[in-house]
Coordinates of all heavy atoms in Angstrom, one line a residue:
Y56 N 22.4 -76.1 56.1 CA 21.9 -77.4 56.4 C 22.9 -78.5 56.1 O 23.3 -78.6 54.9 CB 20.5 -77.7 55.7 CG 19.8 -78.9 56.1 CD1 19.3 -79.0 57.4 CD2 19.5 -79.9 55.3 CE1 18.6 -80.1 57.8 CE2 18.8 -81.1 55.6 CZ 18.4 -81.2 56.9 OH 17.6 -82.3 57.3
Q57 N 23.2 -79.3 57.0 CA 24.3 -80.3 56.9 C 23.9 -81.5 56.0 O 24.7 -82.1 55.3 CB 24.8 -80.8 58.2 CG 25.5 -79.7 59.0 CD 26.7 -79.0 58.2 OE1 27.5 -79.7 57.7 NE2 26.7 -77.7 58.1
D58 N 22.6 -82.0 56.1 CA 22.2 -83.1 55.4 C 21.4 -82.7 54.2 O 20.3 -83.2 53.9 CB 21.3 -84.0 56.3 CG 22.0 -84.5 57.5 OD1 23.2 -84.9 57.4 OD2 21.4 -84.6 58.6
A59 N 22.0 -81.8 53.4 CA 21.3 -81.2 52.3 C 21.2 -82.0 51.0 O 20.5 -81.6 50.1 CB 21.9 -79.8 52.0
E60 N 22.0 -83.1 50.9 CA 22.1 -83.7 49.6 C 20.9 -84.7 49.4 O 20.8 -85.7 50.1 CB 23.4 -84.5 49.4 CG 24.6 -83.6 49.2 CD 25.8 -84.4 48.9 OE1 25.8 -85.7 49.0 OE2 26.8 -83.8 48.7
L61 N 20.0 -84.4 48.5 CA 19.0 -85.3 48.1 C 19.5 -86.3 47.0 O 19.0 -87.4 46.8 CB 17.8 -84.6 47.5 CG 17.0 -83.7 48.5 CD1 16.0 -82.8 47.8 CD2 16.4 -84.5 49.6
I62 N 20.5 -85.8 46.3 CA 21.3 -86.6 45.3 C 22.7 -86.4 45.6 O 23.2 -85.3 46.0 CB 21.0 -86.0 43.9 CG1 19.5 -86.2 43.5 CG2 21.9 -86.7 42.9 CD1 19.2 -85.5 42.2
P63 N 23.5 -87.5 45.6 CA 25.0 -87.3 45.9 C 25.6 -86.3 45.0 O 25.4 -86.2 43.8 CB 25.5 -88.7 45.6 CG 24.4 -89.7 45.8 CD 23.2 -88.9 45.3
G64 N 26.4 -85.4 45.7 CA 27.1 -84.3 45.0 C 26.2 -83.1 44.8 O 26.7 -82.1 44.2
M65 N 25.0 -83.1 45.3 CA 24.1 -81.9 45.2 C 24.6 -80.7 45.9 O 24.8 -80.7 47.1 CB 22.7 -82.3 45.7 CG 21.7 -81.2 45.5 SD 20.1 -81.8 46.0 CE 19.6 -80.5 47.2
P66 N 24.8 -79.6 45.2 CA 25.3 -78.4 45.9 C 24.1 -77.8 46.7 O 23.0 -78.1 46.5 CB 25.7 -77.4 44.8 CG 25.6 -78.2 43.5 CD 24.8 -79.4 43.8
R67 N 24.5 -76.8 47.6 CA 23.4 -76.2 48.4 C 22.7 -75.1 47.5 O 23.3 -74.6 46.5 CB 24.1 -75.5 49.6 CG 24.6 -76.6 50.5 CD 24.9 -76.1 51.9 NE 25.2 -77.2 52.8 CZ 26.3 -77.3 53.4 NH1 27.3 -76.4 53.3 NH2 26.4 -78.4 54.2
R68 N 21.5 -74.7 47.9 CA 20.7 -73.7 47.3 C 20.3 -74.0 45.9 O 20.0 -73.1 45.1 CB 21.5 -72.3 47.4 CG 21.7 -71.8 48.8 CD 22.6 -70.6 48.9 NE 22.0 -69.5 48.1 CZ 21.1 -68.6 48.5 NH1 20.7 -68.7 49.7 NH2 20.7 -67.6 47.7

Side-chain angles (χ1 to χ4, degrees):
Y56 188 65
Q57 295 302 311
D58 298 322
E60 289 187 356
L61 297 172
I62 297 173
M65 181 175 126
R67 294 193 169 125
R68 297 176 54 88

